[in-house]
Amino acid sequence: MIRLLAFGLFCLIIDLSAHAQNGNYGMGARSAAIGGSSITIGDEWSLFNNIGGLANFDKKAIFTSFKNKYGISEVTSLALGATYPIAGGTAGLGVFKFGDDLYNEQRVNLGFSNQFGIVSLGLNVSYYQLSIEGSGSRKTMMIDFGGRAKLTDQLYFGAHVSNLNQAKLSTVTDERISTIMKTGLSYRPSLDLMINAEVEKIVDQDAVLKIGLEYQILEQLSLRTGFHTHPFESSFGLGFRPGKLKADYAYNNNPDLGGIHEISLGYSFGE
């Protein structure tokens, strides 16, 4: 009982600090290290961050990520994914879980993205389940839509809407999963430097500004940093690319609640 009360109090603090997991299922240490400003990035983690960018990752791959918030096991996140080039685009299957036996959110998403000239567009369909000990579980379907455009050789644009269909968790209370809208730009003056700016908006909440920078200091090593507002969190991390293997680490610091660690691994098959 004490454990349940303590966890409930912590969840309340997290919610008041705008850290509620419900509606926000972005993952990947690369994204976390640049303050979450990944809307214009076309890699395997586009399956979770902006399905419109997945067409720019035309490889068979498997990948996973583990995130721990503030050193508390009850608020960990785990994601698994796989991509496969098909029908002129790229398809992806992802699994996400947050929480423990007392409270957890699970999501399975199937996405596809295709390239149309300078624009790539994608659609994600997800099965979502929320489980709370003593209150049962709730299930629903979610739809995400996103796009990415290469405006020039140095400038990229991205936009994404998560839970486009405003999925309901309860028909009695009309409780819904948050709908999140994101848009941003990326400036890449050279092959080894990327500067991102992004705005995220949830209805009835303040807009969040995200700024990130990635610098490839060696062929296989990248350094990253960034921040986002509401609440303010600074971040840094690094990425290592030895051949077909990818390894990324990110650390986010919340001045009030502490640190968030995330580690991601991935492997690409074929050339």
Side-chain angles (χ1 to χ4, degrees):
M1 182 64 181
I2 294 176
R3 180 170 177 251
L4 181 60
L5 289 174
F7 182 66
L9 178 59
F10 181 79
C11 285
L12 177 61
I13 294 172
I14 295 297
D15 182 64
L16 292 175
S17 302
H19 277 279
Q21 193 66 40
N22 190 0
N24 191 350
Y25 306 100
M27 287 291 286
R30 183 187 185 189
S31 173
I34 54 175
S37 59
S38 57
I39 195 76
T40 60
I41 295 178
D43 64 5
E44 63 270 45
W45 287 103
S46 297
L47 179 63
F48 293 87
N49 300 322
N50 178 11
I51 186 61
L54 191 62
N56 301 104
F57 186 79
D58 56 349
K59 299 180 180 68
K60 301 175 187 176
I62 55 174
F63 47 99
T64 184
S65 193
F66 175 81
K67 180 191 296 185
N68 175 260
K69 292 185 175 182
Y70 323 121
I72 300 175
S73 60
E74 287 84 357
V75 286
T76 58
S77 300
L78 176 67
L80 301 170
T83 59
Y84 191 89
I86 189 172
T90 303
L93 176 65
V95 178
F96 172 92
K97 181 179 180 180
F98 167 80
D100 67 350
D101 293 338
L102 295 178
Y103 174 97
N104 67 78
E105 298 180 49
Q106 300 179 59
R107 187 186 190 209
V108 179
N109 57 297
L110 179 63
F112 180 77
S113 179
N114 207 345
Q115 189 77 31
F116 304 93
I118 65 170
V119 177
S120 59
L121 299 173
L123 188 72
N124 233 338
V125 178
S126 305
Y127 173 78
Y128 171 86
Q129 176 176 290
L130 169 66
S131 299
I132 304 174
E133 187 176 86
S135 299
S137 63
R138 306 170 189 175
K139 306 174 182 68
T140 189
M141 300 295 294
M142 299 169 57
I143 298 175
D144 302 341
F145 178 75
R148 177 182 183 268
K150 182 179 180 181
L151 304 179
T152 70
D153 289 339
Q154 299 178 331
L155 190 63
Y156 293 77
F157 169 80
H160 186 259
V161 180
S162 177
N163 189 28
L164 181 65
N165 59 318
Q166 298 184 313
K168 289 185 179 181
L169 286 173
S170 172
T171 56
V172 177
T173 63
D174 200 38
E175 181 185 1
R176 299 173 185 265
I177 299 173
S178 298
T179 296
I180 303 176
M181 297 169 286
K182 299 186 291 185
T183 188
L185 292 170
S186 178
Y187 176 59
R188 305 175 187 181
S190 62
L191 293 177
D192 54 10
L193 179 62
M194 178 177 68
I195 304 170
N196 294 348
E198 183 176 319
V199 176
E200 177 183 297
K201 186 70 172 72
I202 303 177
V203 177
D204 298 328
Q205 294 188 23
D206 293 332
V208 176
L209 173 65
K210 305 176 183 180
I211 301 293
L213 183 148
E214 178 181 81
Y215 180 60
Q216 185 177 333
I217 60 172
L218 299 172
E219 183 178 355
Q220 297 179 340
L221 181 64
S222 298
L223 298 181
R224 300 162 183 146
T225 188
F227 70 88
H228 67 71
T229 61
H230 301 297
F232 180 85
E233 285 183 2
S234 58
S235 59
F236 69 88
L238 53 86
F240 186 47
R241 302 286 188 271
K244 299 177 182 179
L245 180 67
K246 293 182 179 181
D248 297 294
Y249 169 76
Y251 176 80
N252 290 57
N253 180 58
N254 183 297
D256 298 319
L257 298 174
I260 304 171
H261 299 269
E262 184 168 358
I263 298 174
S264 301
L265 296 173
Y267 185 83
S268 299
F269 299 90
E271 298 298 329

